[in-house]
């Protein structure tokens, strides 16, 4: 059995640990600096819990010694610390971060690493890049790649039409940081929360707007190959207007801890959610302008004995699938690996990646 260390005993980290442990092929240890978080984590008995403060470099290095891989489900601002420890210990490193600066540091570490460094292994960035790249490969020349993803409550009941389904820090970071895009063939930064649009899927109306990090490394990969490339987060109509008032008019983009406290004490969590994935690629094929679309809705489901939200299932299944492919030798064993380097067919054929395959429309 390969020993895996999962950093972070929150909702996503716990789901990752349970999925891997249930396979019988991985010995999983979850670490967190909070004893209370570890005690309250919904984990099976097969998963070990260890209290470790990852800011204690010596303790973290000791925990990683002899491990096959470390998977970061910690807040984005801790990503680089974990990656640096993985480089020192020569263990494989995977994370879920949407933070652009953190990923740049991971790339730098990978340049001289003896192990594989695979950031952005979640839903978006992550699976969305795998899908977009798969669609794009079917064209002779490309015109546009548009990616839309959202984790939404099935039963919205507040003015924001939103419930907390994953990291509050991550949501705030996505809403505040600049967003990469390709516009008219030029790589640019566009402001978060802007360029709002509406679309319908299965009779439901959604809005979508710019958020940071969802493109992963696709801007670099497709620069010079596509006229338009962008990523936007999906919400129910009305969400963006209220969030912009909080961030801009009330100045809470400069007081993120205050905004986090407000959201976590006003918006209840829910496991009754739906993940909406909508990717559209257009370009020339055999001389004709055509468009291909991937659309998918994934709902909450049971993982072992626990009912897990759709965002937990999709995020955790994605990083578990990439780890499993790495362990089976289906991915390079060292250096920086981009999500678009991963085959969609191979991902969906994986026992963990199959979580995405059940309701897809292609």
């Amino acid at each position: 059995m390969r020993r895996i260390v999962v950093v972070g005993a929150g909702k996503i980290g716990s789901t990752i640990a349970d999925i891997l442990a249930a396979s019988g092929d991985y010995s999983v240890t979850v670490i967190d600096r909070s004893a209370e978080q570890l005690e309250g984590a919904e984990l099976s008995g097969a998963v070990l819990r260890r209290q470790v403060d990852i800011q204690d470099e010596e303790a973290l290095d000791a925990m990683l010694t002899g491990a096959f891989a470390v998977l970061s489900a910690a807040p984005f601002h801790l990503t680089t610390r974990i990656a640096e420890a993985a480089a020192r210990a020569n263990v494989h490193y995977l994370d879920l971060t949407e933070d652009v600066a953190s990923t740049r540091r991971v790339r730098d570490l990978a340049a001289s690493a003896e192990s594989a460094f695979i950031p952005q292994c979640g839903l978006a960035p992550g699976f969305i890049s795998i899908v977009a790249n798969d669609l794009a490969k079917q064209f002779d020349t490309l015109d546009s790649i548009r990616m839309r993803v959202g984790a939404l409550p099935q039963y919205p009941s507040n003015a924001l039409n939103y419930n907390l389904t994953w990291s509050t820090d991550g949501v705030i970071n996505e809403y505040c940081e600049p967003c990469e895009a390709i516009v008219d063939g030029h790589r640019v930064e566009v402001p978060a929360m802007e360029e709002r649009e509406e679309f319908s899927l299965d009779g439901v109306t959604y809005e979508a707007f710019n958020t940071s990090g969802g493109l992963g490394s696709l801007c670099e990969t497709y620069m010079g190959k596509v006229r338009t490339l962008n990523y936007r987060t999906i919400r129910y109509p009305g969400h963006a207007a209220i969030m912009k008032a909080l961030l801009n008019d009330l100045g809470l983009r400069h007081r993120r801890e205050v905004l986090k406290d407000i959201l976590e004490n006003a918006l209840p969590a829910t496991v009754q959610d739906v993940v909406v994935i909508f990717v559209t690629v257009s370009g020339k094929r055999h001389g004709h302008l055509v468009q291909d679309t991937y659309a998918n809705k994934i709902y909450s489901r049971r993982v072992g004995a626990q009912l897990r939200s759709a965002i937990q299932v999709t995020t955790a299944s994605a990083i578990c699938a990439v780890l499993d492919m790495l362990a089976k030798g289906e991915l390079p064993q060292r250096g920086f690996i981009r999500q678009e380097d991963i085959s969609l067919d191979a991902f969906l054929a994986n026992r963990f990646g199959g979580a995405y395959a059940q309701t897809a429309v292609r």
Side-chain angles (χ1 to χ4, degrees), residues 297-330:
K297 286 186 176 180
I298 301 169
Y299 294 86
S300 54
R301 65 188 68 168
R302 290 200 170 274
V303 175
Q306 299 293 334
L307 178 64
R308 303 287 189 179
S309 70
I311 190 62
Q312 287 175 271
V313 170
T314 51
T315 303
S317 295
I319 195 170
C320 289
V322 175
L323 172 70
D324 209 38
M325 295 172 72
L326 181 69
K328 292 178 178 178
E330 297 171 4

Side-chain angles (χ1 to χ4, degrees), residues 136-155:
K137 289 190 299 185
Q138 313 306 316
F139 291 81
D140 299 323
T141 59
L142 291 167
D143 180 68
S144 67
I145 301 173
R146 294 180 169 91
M147 300 180 289
R148 310 290 184 259
V149 174
L152 305 166
Q154 291 187 53
Y155 312 109

Side-chain angles (χ1 to χ4, degrees), residues 8-246:
K11 295 176 182 178
I12 302 297
S14 298
T15 308
I16 293 168
D18 267 1
I19 290 174
L20 292 176
S23 73
D25 293 325
Y26 298 99
S27 170
V28 184
T29 302
V30 172
I31 67 173
D32 199 291
R33 69 177 182 180
S34 168
E36 182 180 2
Q37 184 76 41
L38 283 167
E39 182 64 26
E42 297 175 336
L43 292 166
S44 73
V47 178
L48 298 177
R49 311 173 195 224
R50 295 289 183 268
Q51 185 178 3
V52 176
D53 185 348
I54 67 167
Q55 298 194 63
D56 182 341
E57 186 175 297
E58 186 175 339
L60 181 58
D61 287 354
M63 181 58 62
L64 297 189
T65 299
F68 175 74
V70 56
L71 279 57
S72 174
F76 72 90
H77 54 83
L78 298 175
T79 296
T80 56
R81 186 176 294 273
I82 300 164
E84 288 163 358
R88 290 193 299 270
N90 289 326
V91 304
H92 299 303
Y93 169 85
L94 298 85
D95 71 36
L96 302 167
T97 190
E98 78 292 337
D99 186 62
V100 175
S102 298
T103 300
R104 288 173 182 152
R105 175 58 179 152
V106 171
R107 180 191 290 272
D108 290 343
L109 290 167
S112 58
E114 296 298 320
S115 54
F117 278 65
I118 319 178
Q120 304 176 322
C121 294
L123 168 61
F127 179 72
I128 191 75
S129 297
I130 299 173
V131 169
N133 189 61
D134 181 78
L135 290 178
K137 289 190 299 185
Q138 313 306 316
F139 291 81
D140 299 323
T141 59
L142 291 167
D143 180 68
S144 67
I145 301 173
R146 294 180 169 91
M147 300 180 289
R148 310 290 184 259
V149 174
L152 305 166
Q154 291 187 53
Y155 312 109
S157 59
N158 55 58
L160 277 170
N161 288 316
Y162 189 68
N163 292 88
L164 295 175
T165 55
W166 71 294
S167 164
T168 312
D169 288 310
V171 170
I172 294 171
N173 191 57
E174 287 184 344
Y175 285 4
C176 292
E177 296 299 317
C179 316
E180 291 185 310
I182 294 176
V183 178
D184 291 329
H186 300 285
R187 186 174 179 177
V188 298
E189 283 192 346
V190 295
M193 305 296 299
E194 299 297 335
E195 300 185 280
R196 179 186 176 276
E197 64 189 22
E198 286 195 359
F199 70 96
S200 294
L201 181 63
D202 295 336
V204 179
T205 300
Y206 302 99
E207 68 179 17
F209 47 85
N210 296 335
T211 53
S212 178
L215 282 180
S217 53
L218 285 178
C219 268
E220 178 182 334
T221 299
Y222 281 98
M223 184 61 204
K225 300 177 182 178
V226 69
R227 182 176 62 85
T228 299
L229 170 66
N230 56 46
Y231 170 84
R232 292 172 187 163
T233 286
I234 299 170
R235 296 288 184 256
Y236 294 118
H239 180 90
I242 296 175
M243 285 305 306
K244 286 176 71 175
L246 291 171

Side-chain angles (χ1 to χ4, degrees), residues 201 277-279 293-297 359-362:
L201 181 63
I277 306 170
F278 193 68
V279 182
T293 296
Y294 174 101
N296 200 349
K297 286 186 176 180
T359 58
V361 178
R362 289 180 64 193

